[in-house]
Amino acid sequence: MKEYLEVANDPILWLMSLPVVVLVAIQAIIFSKKAFKTASLVQLTKKEAKDAFRVGAISAIGPALAVFVVMLGMMAVVGAPMTWLRLSVIGAAPTELAASTMGAQAMGVEFGGEGYGVLQFANSVWAMTLNGIGWLLFVGLFAHKLEGIRDRVSGGDSKLTGEIGGAAMLGAMAYLVGGHLIAGSGRLIAALASAIAMIVLVKLSGKIPKLVEYNLGISMVIGMVAAIIYMG
Amino acid sequence: MEKTNNQTYHESFTKPIIKVGRITLLLAVAFSFLPPLYLWMRYDALPPLNAILTGWFLIASIYGTYYFIEPISFFPILGVAGTYMSFLSGNIGNMRLPCAAVAQEALKVEPGSEKAELVATLGIAGSIITNIIVVTIAAIAGNQLMAIFPPVVVKAFEYVLPSIFGAMFAMFAVKYPKYGGFAITVTLFLLGVVKVLPVWVLIPVCVFSTISFATFSYKKKAK
């Protein structure tokens, strides 16, 4: 094991990462409580509110397992505690690895290569930290201002707000899937197969309402299996 | 009546959410510095200031525009509570957006309503708890657990992102086929034909051109 990895896996570093991870959980719990408290105002029953939380929790299992797989690669180079911290908050493995690389470059060495020691690792940690706070600061300081802009655009028409939300989602997902479609091969097949599966499932769930909350999970698995079969 | 209700909702939900949201995000900023400060205190590993700033500059030159573009572009989907939660916990495209949407779909709420916002908040909260549990297990015992996954399963996870995005796009395209057709045409044209645009231009162009198209069609229909 490289020398810096012993430092990167220092048990106390877990403790230093803990506050951020706990904060993420606390925020989710406080927001849920507020939502529960407000539920009756908008004719949301306690059971429905619980269901919403449960559906979110279950739907996240598939994507979270994908994060799990990516994490291992990151742990091998920046250690487990920093990986735990960075993947519990904003930023994803590619972002954090890019930041680590830039931190190493700024010290004139290759990330994980010759001359990458404790000091160089510390610079990678600084780069990940400073990059991550960009989003946190902007949203922390300005998110409440965005609310006003949205209301002005929709003019308080909630139906239009809904259409705008749907359109924004389509724009975002079109962008996210677009690169995979153009990449072709297994990624194209995965995207197409899961899209077709979703269309079929949406039609089916008209008859079987209980199915709806599993639509995403089932489509995802079909997409993955189709890609694996196609790639042999 | 409608107005009073809105006001109560604002007092009961939106106002406290903004307060807690701001505090938690700014606290997260402060807490983020614990690991680098610890490395300095314990190992005397404080890089020279100019190396720290150079590293910051290099990474910010890639992601700096995302700090603003992503929150602004995703706000119309996430709303204020969803924005605070998603930008604290990350994994937005692959986890927060899908989980919020699936929760709304499962509970059949009217899009854009206050009820829809609460359902999305709860769906996102649920997904955050799952993520923390999985990430924590992975950090502690990932390498040992990896051995029990057959290689084909590990390989299949390479295709998880196109599968999520394809399914999510289809889910919304069924609801709004016209907007879906517009969004994918614009995206494929920009990615496949124009090609030169940087990502920080692409995301807002894809999102806001589709929003404009939808707003325009909606208003035309309403007339």
Side-chain angles (χ1 to χ4, degrees), chain A residues 10 12 32 38 43 57 72 84 89-90 131 135 140 157 163 175 194, chain B residues 12 22 24 38 43 67 70 88 115 125 130 136 146 160 163 179 199 218:
Chain A
D10 177 340
I12 307 289
S32 302
T38 314
Q43 280 82 50
L72 300 181
W84 183 52
V89 289
I90 181 76
N131 187 46
W135 286 274
D157 177 347
E163 300 251 329
Y175 162 72
S194 73
Chain B
S12 166
R22 303 192 75 180
T24 43
Y38 171 73
Y43 295 100
Y67 308 159
E70 287 186 341
L88 179 60
K115 190 172 173 179
T130 299
T136 303
M146 200 62 175
V160 94
S163 302
Y179 307 164
V199 173
Y218 178 85

PDB file of all heavy atoms in Angstrom, chain A residues 10 12 32 38 43 57 72 84 89-90 131 135 140 157 163 175 194, chain B residues 12 22 24 38 43 67 70 88 115 125 130 136 146 160 163 179 199 218:
ATOM      1  N   ASP A  10      -6.906   6.875   7.557  1.00  0.00           N
ATOM      2  CA  ASP A  10      -6.788   7.160   8.983  1.00  0.00           C
ATOM      3  C   ASP A  10      -8.174   7.118   9.652  1.00  0.00           C
ATOM      4  O   ASP A  10      -9.104   7.776   9.180  1.00  0.00           O
ATOM      5  CB  ASP A  10      -6.185   8.587   9.116  1.00  0.00           C
ATOM      6  CG  ASP A  10      -6.079   9.054  10.563  1.00  0.00           C
ATOM      7  OD1 ASP A  10      -6.773   8.496  11.436  1.00  0.00           O
ATOM      8  OD2 ASP A  10      -5.291   9.989  10.803  1.00  0.00           O
ATOM      9  N   ILE A  12      -9.404   8.514  12.184  1.00  0.00           N
ATOM     10  CA  ILE A  12      -9.949   9.816  12.608  1.00  0.00           C
ATOM     11  C   ILE A  12     -10.576  10.566  11.421  1.00  0.00           C
ATOM     12  O   ILE A  12     -11.478  11.382  11.587  1.00  0.00           O
ATOM     13  CB  ILE A  12      -8.847  10.711  13.241  1.00  0.00           C
ATOM     14  CG1 ILE A  12      -8.120   9.954  14.351  1.00  0.00           C
ATOM     15  CG2 ILE A  12      -9.442  11.997  13.793  1.00  0.00           C
ATOM     16  CD1 ILE A  12      -8.933   9.723  15.595  1.00  0.00           C
ATOM     17  N   SER A  32     -38.730  16.205   5.880  1.00  0.00           N
ATOM     18  CA  SER A  32     -39.846  15.250   5.896  1.00  0.00           C
ATOM     19  C   SER A  32     -40.849  15.620   6.971  1.00  0.00           C
ATOM     20  O   SER A  32     -42.059  15.558   6.756  1.00  0.00           O
ATOM     21  CB  SER A  32     -39.347  13.828   6.160  1.00  0.00           C
ATOM     22  OG  SER A  32     -38.424  13.453   5.199  1.00  0.00           O
ATOM     23  N   THR A  38     -47.345  19.739   7.129  1.00  0.00           N
ATOM     24  CA  THR A  38     -48.112  20.565   6.191  1.00  0.00           C
ATOM     25  C   THR A  38     -49.118  19.736   5.397  1.00  0.00           C
ATOM     26  O   THR A  38     -50.018  20.277   4.774  1.00  0.00           O
ATOM     27  CB  THR A  38     -47.142  21.274   5.228  1.00  0.00           C
ATOM     28  OG1 THR A  38     -46.062  21.816   5.995  1.00  0.00           O
ATOM     29  CG2 THR A  38     -47.810  22.407   4.483  1.00  0.00           C
ATOM     30  N   GLN A  43     -54.547  18.339   1.533  1.00  0.00           N
ATOM     31  CA  GLN A  43     -55.260  17.070   1.361  1.00  0.00           C
ATOM     32  C   GLN A  43     -54.337  15.894   1.045  1.00  0.00           C
ATOM     33  O   GLN A  43     -54.627  15.052   0.201  1.00  0.00           O
ATOM     34  CB  GLN A  43     -56.340  17.177   0.256  1.00  0.00           C
ATOM     35  CG  GLN A  43     -57.621  17.846   0.705  1.00  0.00           C
ATOM     36  CD  GLN A  43     -57.484  19.348   0.650  1.00  0.00           C
ATOM     37  OE1 GLN A  43     -57.054  19.905  -0.347  1.00  0.00           O
ATOM     38  NE2 GLN A  43     -57.835  20.026   1.736  1.00  0.00           N
ATOM     39  N   ALA A  57     -37.573   5.960  -1.271  1.00  0.00           N
ATOM     40  CA  ALA A  57     -36.510   5.137  -0.698  1.00  0.00           C
ATOM     41  C   ALA A  57     -36.267   3.883  -1.537  1.00  0.00           C
ATOM     42  O   ALA A  57     -35.123   3.508  -1.814  1.00  0.00           O
ATOM     43  CB  ALA A  57     -36.858   4.756   0.734  1.00  0.00           C
ATOM     44  N   LEU A  72     -16.078   1.920  -5.334  1.00  0.00           N
ATOM     45  CA  LEU A  72     -14.929   1.085  -5.003  1.00  0.00           C
ATOM     46  C   LEU A  72     -13.671   1.582  -5.708  1.00  0.00           C
ATOM     47  O   LEU A  72     -12.589   1.609  -5.122  1.00  0.00           O
ATOM     48  CB  LEU A  72     -15.219  -0.370  -5.361  1.00  0.00           C
ATOM     49  CG  LEU A  72     -16.427  -0.939  -4.619  1.00  0.00           C
ATOM     50  CD1 LEU A  72     -16.648  -2.387  -5.009  1.00  0.00           C
ATOM     51  CD2 LEU A  72     -16.261  -0.823  -3.113  1.00  0.00           C
ATOM     52  N   TRP A  84     -16.512   8.329   1.225  1.00  0.00           N
ATOM     53  CA  TRP A  84     -17.782   8.312   1.964  1.00  0.00           C
ATOM     54  C   TRP A  84     -18.356   9.722   2.065  1.00  0.00           C
ATOM     55  O   TRP A  84     -19.530   9.961   1.802  1.00  0.00           O
ATOM     56  CB  TRP A  84     -17.506   7.726   3.356  1.00  0.00           C
ATOM     57  CG  TRP A  84     -18.686   7.561   4.241  1.00  0.00           C
ATOM     58  CD1 TRP A  84     -19.862   6.918   3.942  1.00  0.00           C
ATOM     59  CD2 TRP A  84     -18.804   8.014   5.591  1.00  0.00           C
ATOM     60  NE1 TRP A  84     -20.693   6.937   5.035  1.00  0.00           N
ATOM     61  CE2 TRP A  84     -20.075   7.600   6.058  1.00  0.00           C
ATOM     62  CE3 TRP A  84     -17.961   8.705   6.466  1.00  0.00           C
ATOM     63  CZ2 TRP A  84     -20.524   7.873   7.353  1.00  0.00           C
ATOM     64  CZ3 TRP A  84     -18.414   8.966   7.751  1.00  0.00           C
ATOM     65  CH2 TRP A  84     -19.674   8.557   8.186  1.00  0.00           C
ATOM     66  N   VAL A  89     -22.520  13.766  -0.466  1.00  0.00           N
ATOM     67  CA  VAL A  89     -22.963  15.127  -0.786  1.00  0.00           C
ATOM     68  C   VAL A  89     -22.844  15.385  -2.291  1.00  0.00           C
ATOM     69  O   VAL A  89     -22.530  14.487  -3.060  1.00  0.00           O
ATOM     70  CB  VAL A  89     -22.158  16.205  -0.014  1.00  0.00           C
ATOM     71  CG1 VAL A  89     -22.522  16.180   1.457  1.00  0.00           C
ATOM     72  CG2 VAL A  89     -20.685  16.038  -0.218  1.00  0.00           C
ATOM     73  N   ILE A  90     -23.102  16.624  -2.678  1.00  0.00           N
ATOM     74  CA  ILE A  90     -23.055  17.012  -4.084  1.00  0.00           C
ATOM     75  C   ILE A  90     -21.702  16.651  -4.686  1.00  0.00           C
ATOM     76  O   ILE A  90     -20.667  16.750  -4.025  1.00  0.00           O
ATOM     77  CB  ILE A  90     -23.356  18.527  -4.243  1.00  0.00           C
ATOM     78  CG1 ILE A  90     -23.350  18.968  -5.699  1.00  0.00           C
ATOM     79  CG2 ILE A  90     -22.384  19.384  -3.438  1.00  0.00           C
ATOM     80  CD1 ILE A  90     -24.564  18.585  -6.459  1.00  0.00           C
ATOM     81  N   ASN A 131     -14.162  22.656  -4.634  1.00  0.00           N
ATOM     82  CA  ASN A 131     -15.078  22.480  -5.756  1.00  0.00           C
ATOM     83  C   ASN A 131     -16.501  22.214  -5.241  1.00  0.00           C
ATOM     84  O   ASN A 131     -17.457  22.815  -5.717  1.00  0.00           O
ATOM     85  CB  ASN A 131     -14.601  21.323  -6.637  1.00  0.00           C
ATOM     86  CG  ASN A 131     -15.411  21.198  -7.913  1.00  0.00           C
ATOM     87  OD1 ASN A 131     -15.665  22.181  -8.593  1.00  0.00           O
ATOM     88  ND2 ASN A 131     -15.822  19.984  -8.231  1.00  0.00           N
ATOM     89  N   TRP A 135     -21.390  24.627  -5.316  1.00  0.00           N
ATOM     90  CA  TRP A 135     -22.837  24.392  -5.394  1.00  0.00           C
ATOM     91  C   TRP A 135     -23.506  24.756  -4.071  1.00  0.00           C
ATOM     92  O   TRP A 135     -24.552  25.375  -4.048  1.00  0.00           O
ATOM     93  CB  TRP A 135     -23.122  22.908  -5.690  1.00  0.00           C
ATOM     94  CG  TRP A 135     -22.852  22.461  -7.065  1.00  0.00           C
ATOM     95  CD1 TRP A 135     -23.715  22.534  -8.129  1.00  0.00           C
ATOM     96  CD2 TRP A 135     -21.658  21.814  -7.565  1.00  0.00           C
ATOM     97  NE1 TRP A 135     -23.123  21.969  -9.245  1.00  0.00           N
ATOM     98  CE2 TRP A 135     -21.886  21.519  -8.928  1.00  0.00           C
ATOM     99  CE3 TRP A 135     -20.444  21.445  -6.994  1.00  0.00           C
ATOM    100  CZ2 TRP A 135     -20.935  20.881  -9.728  1.00  0.00           C
ATOM    101  CZ3 TRP A 135     -19.497  20.814  -7.792  1.00  0.00           C
ATOM    102  CH2 TRP A 135     -19.735  20.548  -9.144  1.00  0.00           C
ATOM    103  N   GLY A 140     -27.161  27.651  -1.132  1.00  0.00           N
ATOM    104  CA  GLY A 140     -27.397  28.135   0.223  1.00  0.00           C
ATOM    105  C   GLY A 140     -27.730  29.619   0.237  1.00  0.00           C
ATOM    106  O   GLY A 140     -28.589  30.082   0.986  1.00  0.00           O
ATOM    107  N   ASP A 157     -50.072  30.296 -12.067  1.00  0.00           N
ATOM    108  CA  ASP A 157     -50.939  29.276 -12.664  1.00  0.00           C
ATOM    109  C   ASP A 157     -50.299  27.905 -12.398  1.00  0.00           C
ATOM    110  O   ASP A 157     -49.298  27.555 -13.008  1.00  0.00           O
ATOM    111  CB  ASP A 157     -51.057  29.562 -14.168  1.00  0.00           C
ATOM    112  CG  ASP A 157     -51.884  28.520 -14.902  1.00  0.00           C
ATOM    113  OD1 ASP A 157     -52.161  27.454 -14.326  1.00  0.00           O
ATOM    114  OD2 ASP A 157     -52.258  28.790 -16.056  1.00  0.00           O
ATOM    115  N   GLU A 163     -46.745  22.015 -16.187  1.00  0.00           N
ATOM    116  CA  GLU A 163     -46.270  21.796 -17.559  1.00  0.00           C
ATOM    117  C   GLU A 163     -44.802  22.208 -17.691  1.00  0.00           C
ATOM    118  O   GLU A 163     -44.007  21.539 -18.346  1.00  0.00           O
ATOM    119  CB  GLU A 163     -47.111  22.616 -18.558  1.00  0.00           C
ATOM    120  CG  GLU A 163     -48.577  22.258 -18.529  1.00  0.00           C
ATOM    121  CD  GLU A 163     -49.036  21.512 -19.779  1.00  0.00           C
ATOM    122  OE1 GLU A 163     -48.484  21.753 -20.857  1.00  0.00           O
ATOM    123  OE2 GLU A 163     -49.966  20.684 -19.650  1.00  0.00           O
ATOM    124  N   TYR A 175     -31.081  15.784 -22.498  1.00  0.00           N
ATOM    125  CA  TYR A 175     -29.651  16.086 -22.467  1.00  0.00           C
ATOM    126  C   TYR A 175     -28.871  14.902 -21.878  1.00  0.00           C
ATOM    127  O   TYR A 175     -27.854  14.471 -22.424  1.00  0.00           O
ATOM    128  CB  TYR A 175     -29.377  17.358 -21.656  1.00  0.00           C
ATOM    129  CG  TYR A 175     -27.935  17.449 -21.251  1.00  0.00           C
ATOM    130  CD1 TYR A 175     -26.950  17.739 -22.205  1.00  0.00           C
ATOM    131  CD2 TYR A 175     -27.531  17.141 -19.948  1.00  0.00           C
ATOM    132  CE1 TYR A 175     -25.619  17.747 -21.853  1.00  0.00           C
ATOM    133  CE2 TYR A 175     -26.206  17.149 -19.599  1.00  0.00           C
ATOM    134  CZ  TYR A 175     -25.252  17.452 -20.552  1.00  0.00           C
ATOM    135  OH  TYR A 175     -23.932  17.438 -20.214  1.00  0.00           O
ATOM    136  N   SER A 194     -34.883   0.396 -22.201  1.00  0.00           N
ATOM    137  CA  SER A 194     -35.558   0.829 -20.975  1.00  0.00           C
ATOM    138  C   SER A 194     -36.657   1.831 -21.301  1.00  0.00           C
ATOM    139  O   SER A 194     -37.685   1.869 -20.633  1.00  0.00           O
ATOM    140  CB  SER A 194     -34.561   1.392 -19.967  1.00  0.00           C
ATOM    141  OG  SER A 194     -34.109   2.647 -20.394  1.00  0.00           O
TER     142      SER A 194
ATOM    143  N   SER B  12     -46.285  27.537   6.735  1.00  0.00           N
ATOM    144  CA  SER B  12     -46.080  26.234   7.366  1.00  0.00           C
ATOM    145  C   SER B  12     -44.930  25.457   6.723  1.00  0.00           C
ATOM    146  O   SER B  12     -44.252  24.680   7.393  1.00  0.00           O
ATOM    147  CB  SER B  12     -47.376  25.431   7.278  1.00  0.00           C
ATOM    148  OG  SER B  12     -47.141  24.089   7.582  1.00  0.00           O
ATOM    149  N   ARG B  22     -31.077  26.958   4.191  1.00  0.00           N
ATOM    150  CA  ARG B  22     -29.894  27.838   4.161  1.00  0.00           C
ATOM    151  C   ARG B  22     -28.902  27.439   5.252  1.00  0.00           C
ATOM    152  O   ARG B  22     -27.703  27.331   5.007  1.00  0.00           O
ATOM    153  CB  ARG B  22     -30.301  29.299   4.385  1.00  0.00           C
ATOM    154  CG  ARG B  22     -31.325  29.777   3.379  1.00  0.00           C
ATOM    155  CD  ARG B  22     -31.468  31.277   3.456  1.00  0.00           C
ATOM    156  NE  ARG B  22     -30.305  31.898   2.830  1.00  0.00           N
ATOM    157  CZ  ARG B  22     -30.118  33.205   2.732  1.00  0.00           C
ATOM    158  NH1 ARG B  22     -30.990  34.026   3.267  1.00  0.00           N
ATOM    159  NH2 ARG B  22     -29.054  33.674   2.136  1.00  0.00           N
ATOM    160  N   THR B  24     -28.518  24.527   6.791  1.00  0.00           N
ATOM    161  CA  THR B  24     -27.848  23.235   6.565  1.00  0.00           C
ATOM    162  C   THR B  24     -26.811  23.341   5.454  1.00  0.00           C
ATOM    163  O   THR B  24     -25.722  22.774   5.568  1.00  0.00           O
ATOM    164  CB  THR B  24     -28.863  22.125   6.235  1.00  0.00           C
ATOM    165  OG1 THR B  24     -29.838  22.624   5.330  1.00  0.00           O
ATOM    166  CG2 THR B  24     -29.558  21.617   7.474  1.00  0.00           C
ATOM    167  N   TYR B  38      -7.875  18.703   9.314  1.00  0.00           N
ATOM    168  CA  TYR B  38      -7.320  17.611  10.111  1.00  0.00           C
ATOM    169  C   TYR B  38      -5.972  17.152   9.540  1.00  0.00           C
ATOM    170  O   TYR B  38      -5.006  16.932  10.286  1.00  0.00           O
ATOM    171  CB  TYR B  38      -8.303  16.436  10.168  1.00  0.00           C
ATOM    172  CG  TYR B  38      -7.718  15.202  10.792  1.00  0.00           C
ATOM    173  CD1 TYR B  38      -7.497  15.132  12.169  1.00  0.00           C
ATOM    174  CD2 TYR B  38      -7.358  14.099  10.009  1.00  0.00           C
ATOM    175  CE1 TYR B  38      -6.940  14.008  12.747  1.00  0.00           C
ATOM    176  CE2 TYR B  38      -6.799  12.968  10.575  1.00  0.00           C
ATOM    177  CZ  TYR B  38      -6.592  12.926  11.952  1.00  0.00           C
ATOM    178  OH  TYR B  38      -6.031  11.815  12.513  1.00  0.00           O
ATOM    179  N   TYR B  43      -0.995  15.806  10.343  1.00  0.00           N
ATOM    180  CA  TYR B  43       0.134  15.350   9.534  1.00  0.00           C
ATOM    181  C   TYR B  43       0.985  16.499   9.023  1.00  0.00           C
ATOM    182  O   TYR B  43       1.901  16.281   8.225  1.00  0.00           O
ATOM    183  CB  TYR B  43      -0.353  14.507   8.346  1.00  0.00           C
ATOM    184  CG  TYR B  43      -1.009  13.230   8.783  1.00  0.00           C
ATOM    185  CD1 TYR B  43      -2.401  13.124   8.835  1.00  0.00           C
ATOM    186  CD2 TYR B  43      -0.251  12.117   9.158  1.00  0.00           C
ATOM    187  CE1 TYR B  43      -3.016  11.956   9.247  1.00  0.00           C
ATOM    188  CE2 TYR B  43      -0.863  10.933   9.565  1.00  0.00           C
ATOM    189  CZ  TYR B  43      -2.241  10.865   9.607  1.00  0.00           C
ATOM    190  OH  TYR B  43      -2.837   9.699  10.022  1.00  0.00           O
ATOM    191  N   TYR B  67     -21.899  25.387 -10.929  1.00  0.00           N
ATOM    192  CA  TYR B  67     -22.392  25.838  -9.620  1.00  0.00           C
ATOM    193  C   TYR B  67     -23.671  26.662  -9.771  1.00  0.00           C
ATOM    194  O   TYR B  67     -24.545  26.617  -8.918  1.00  0.00           O
ATOM    195  CB  TYR B  67     -21.344  26.707  -8.886  1.00  0.00           C
ATOM    196  CG  TYR B  67     -19.948  26.144  -8.748  1.00  0.00           C
ATOM    197  CD1 TYR B  67     -18.865  26.992  -8.519  1.00  0.00           C
ATOM    198  CD2 TYR B  67     -19.694  24.781  -8.847  1.00  0.00           C
ATOM    199  CE1 TYR B  67     -17.572  26.505  -8.381  1.00  0.00           C
ATOM    200  CE2 TYR B  67     -18.397  24.279  -8.718  1.00  0.00           C
ATOM    201  CZ  TYR B  67     -17.338  25.146  -8.492  1.00  0.00           C
ATOM    202  OH  TYR B  67     -16.066  24.672  -8.365  1.00  0.00           O
ATOM    203  N   GLU B  70     -26.561  24.478 -12.913  1.00  0.00           N
ATOM    204  CA  GLU B  70     -27.369  23.320 -12.503  1.00  0.00           C
ATOM    205  C   GLU B  70     -28.522  23.703 -11.570  1.00  0.00           C
ATOM    206  O   GLU B  70     -29.660  23.319 -11.835  1.00  0.00           O
ATOM    207  CB  GLU B  70     -26.484  22.238 -11.874  1.00  0.00           C
ATOM    208  CG  GLU B  70     -25.656  21.518 -12.930  1.00  0.00           C
ATOM    209  CD  GLU B  70     -24.874  20.336 -12.379  1.00  0.00           C
ATOM    210  OE1 GLU B  70     -24.669  20.255 -11.157  1.00  0.00           O
ATOM    211  OE2 GLU B  70     -24.465  19.492 -13.183  1.00  0.00           O
ATOM    212  N   LEU B  88     -27.573  19.519  -1.666  1.00  0.00           N
ATOM    213  CA  LEU B  88     -26.754  19.071  -0.544  1.00  0.00           C
ATOM    214  C   LEU B  88     -26.324  17.622  -0.779  1.00  0.00           C
ATOM    215  O   LEU B  88     -25.165  17.271  -0.592  1.00  0.00           O
ATOM    216  CB  LEU B  88     -27.521  19.199   0.783  1.00  0.00           C
ATOM    217  CG  LEU B  88     -26.761  18.721   2.027  1.00  0.00           C
ATOM    218  CD1 LEU B  88     -25.465  19.513   2.218  1.00  0.00           C
ATOM    219  CD2 LEU B  88     -27.619  18.840   3.281  1.00  0.00           C
ATOM    220  N   LYS B 115     -49.386  19.955  -3.267  1.00  0.00           N
ATOM    221  CA  LYS B 115     -49.359  18.541  -2.865  1.00  0.00           C
ATOM    222  C   LYS B 115     -48.205  17.829  -3.585  1.00  0.00           C
ATOM    223  O   LYS B 115     -47.467  17.044  -2.987  1.00  0.00           O
ATOM    224  CB  LYS B 115     -50.699  17.903  -3.229  1.00  0.00           C
ATOM    225  CG  LYS B 115     -50.896  16.520  -2.652  1.00  0.00           C
ATOM    226  CD  LYS B 115     -52.340  16.046  -2.892  1.00  0.00           C
ATOM    227  CE  LYS B 115     -52.498  14.597  -2.481  1.00  0.00           C
ATOM    228  NZ  LYS B 115     -53.864  14.122  -2.678  1.00  0.00           N
ATOM    229  N   ALA B 125     -36.441  12.759   0.152  1.00  0.00           N
ATOM    230  CA  ALA B 125     -35.926  12.435   1.485  1.00  0.00           C
ATOM    231  C   ALA B 125     -35.709  10.927   1.605  1.00  0.00           C
ATOM    232  O   ALA B 125     -34.660  10.474   2.092  1.00  0.00           O
ATOM    233  CB  ALA B 125     -36.888  12.926   2.557  1.00  0.00           C
ATOM    234  N   THR B 130     -31.817   6.155   1.689  1.00  0.00           N
ATOM    235  CA  THR B 130     -31.301   4.949   1.010  1.00  0.00           C
ATOM    236  C   THR B 130     -29.860   5.160   0.570  1.00  0.00           C
ATOM    237  O   THR B 130     -28.991   4.304   0.786  1.00  0.00           O
ATOM    238  CB  THR B 130     -32.157   4.619  -0.236  1.00  0.00           C
ATOM    239  OG1 THR B 130     -33.483   4.374   0.183  1.00  0.00           O
ATOM    240  CG2 THR B 130     -31.624   3.390  -0.965  1.00  0.00           C
ATOM    241  N   THR B 136     -22.664   4.204   2.946  1.00  0.00           N
ATOM    242  CA  THR B 136     -21.968   3.871   4.186  1.00  0.00           C
ATOM    243  C   THR B 136     -21.549   2.395   4.196  1.00  0.00           C
ATOM    244  O   THR B 136     -20.405   2.065   4.535  1.00  0.00           O
ATOM    245  CB  THR B 136     -22.864   4.178   5.407  1.00  0.00           C
ATOM    246  OG1 THR B 136     -23.223   5.562   5.347  1.00  0.00           O
ATOM    247  CG2 THR B 136     -22.141   3.910   6.708  1.00  0.00           C
ATOM    248  N   MET B 146     -18.117  -6.771  -2.742  1.00  0.00           N
ATOM    249  CA  MET B 146     -17.985  -6.829  -4.201  1.00  0.00           C
ATOM    250  C   MET B 146     -17.738  -8.248  -4.673  1.00  0.00           C
ATOM    251  O   MET B 146     -18.173  -8.638  -5.765  1.00  0.00           O
ATOM    252  CB  MET B 146     -16.831  -5.917  -4.624  1.00  0.00           C
ATOM    253  CG  MET B 146     -16.889  -5.517  -6.059  1.00  0.00           C
ATOM    254  SD  MET B 146     -18.407  -4.580  -6.346  1.00  0.00           S
ATOM    255  CE  MET B 146     -18.128  -4.119  -8.029  1.00  0.00           C
ATOM    256  N   VAL B 160     -26.311   1.353 -16.201  1.00  0.00           N
ATOM    257  CA  VAL B 160     -27.391   1.832 -15.349  1.00  0.00           C
ATOM    258  C   VAL B 160     -27.800   3.257 -15.735  1.00  0.00           C
ATOM    259  O   VAL B 160     -28.991   3.583 -15.760  1.00  0.00           O
ATOM    260  CB  VAL B 160     -26.989   1.706 -13.867  1.00  0.00           C
ATOM    261  CG1 VAL B 160     -26.385   2.953 -13.312  1.00  0.00           C
ATOM    262  CG2 VAL B 160     -28.166   1.288 -13.038  1.00  0.00           C
ATOM    263  N   SER B 163     -29.928   3.530 -18.880  1.00  0.00           N
ATOM    264  CA  SER B 163     -31.223   2.907 -18.597  1.00  0.00           C
ATOM    265  C   SER B 163     -32.116   3.837 -17.777  1.00  0.00           C
ATOM    266  O   SER B 163     -33.311   3.979 -18.068  1.00  0.00           O
ATOM    267  CB  SER B 163     -31.045   1.585 -17.839  1.00  0.00           C
ATOM    268  OG  SER B 163     -30.246   0.700 -18.593  1.00  0.00           O
ATOM    269  N   TYR B 179     -43.628  17.932 -26.154  1.00  0.00           N
ATOM    270  CA  TYR B 179     -42.442  18.508 -25.509  1.00  0.00           C
ATOM    271  C   TYR B 179     -41.270  17.531 -25.614  1.00  0.00           C
ATOM    272  O   TYR B 179     -40.126  17.932 -25.802  1.00  0.00           O
ATOM    273  CB  TYR B 179     -42.692  18.821 -24.032  1.00  0.00           C
ATOM    274  CG  TYR B 179     -43.909  19.679 -23.738  1.00  0.00           C
ATOM    275  CD1 TYR B 179     -44.419  19.760 -22.450  1.00  0.00           C
ATOM    276  CD2 TYR B 179     -44.532  20.413 -24.752  1.00  0.00           C
ATOM    277  CE1 TYR B 179     -45.525  20.542 -22.160  1.00  0.00           C
ATOM    278  CE2 TYR B 179     -45.649  21.188 -24.468  1.00  0.00           C
ATOM    279  CZ  TYR B 179     -46.157  21.247 -23.173  1.00  0.00           C
ATOM    280  OH  TYR B 179     -47.254  22.006 -22.895  1.00  0.00           O
ATOM    281  N   VAL B 199     -20.707  22.001 -22.172  1.00  0.00           N
ATOM    282  CA  VAL B 199     -21.808  21.474 -21.369  1.00  0.00           C
ATOM    283  C   VAL B 199     -22.597  22.561 -20.644  1.00  0.00           C
ATOM    284  O   VAL B 199     -23.818  22.502 -20.553  1.00  0.00           O
ATOM    285  CB  VAL B 199     -21.251  20.463 -20.347  1.00  0.00           C
ATOM    286  CG1 VAL B 199     -22.335  20.023 -19.382  1.00  0.00           C
ATOM    287  CG2 VAL B 199     -20.689  19.259 -21.063  1.00  0.00           C
ATOM    288  N   TYR B 218     -48.684  26.111 -24.367  1.00  0.00           N
ATOM    289  CA  TYR B 218     -49.731  26.160 -23.342  1.00  0.00           C
ATOM    290  C   TYR B 218     -50.567  27.431 -23.490  1.00  0.00           C
ATOM    291  O   TYR B 218     -51.788  27.394 -23.452  1.00  0.00           O
ATOM    292  CB  TYR B 218     -49.086  26.100 -21.962  1.00  0.00           C
ATOM    293  CG  TYR B 218     -50.052  26.181 -20.807  1.00  0.00           C
ATOM    294  CD1 TYR B 218     -50.693  25.039 -20.328  1.00  0.00           C
ATOM    295  CD2 TYR B 218     -50.312  27.403 -20.179  1.00  0.00           C
ATOM    296  CE1 TYR B 218     -51.567  25.104 -19.262  1.00  0.00           C
ATOM    297  CE2 TYR B 218     -51.186  27.475 -19.104  1.00  0.00           C
ATOM    298  CZ  TYR B 218     -51.812  26.330 -18.654  1.00  0.00           C
ATOM    299  OH  TYR B 218     -52.674  26.403 -17.590  1.00  0.00           O
TER     300      TYR B 218
END
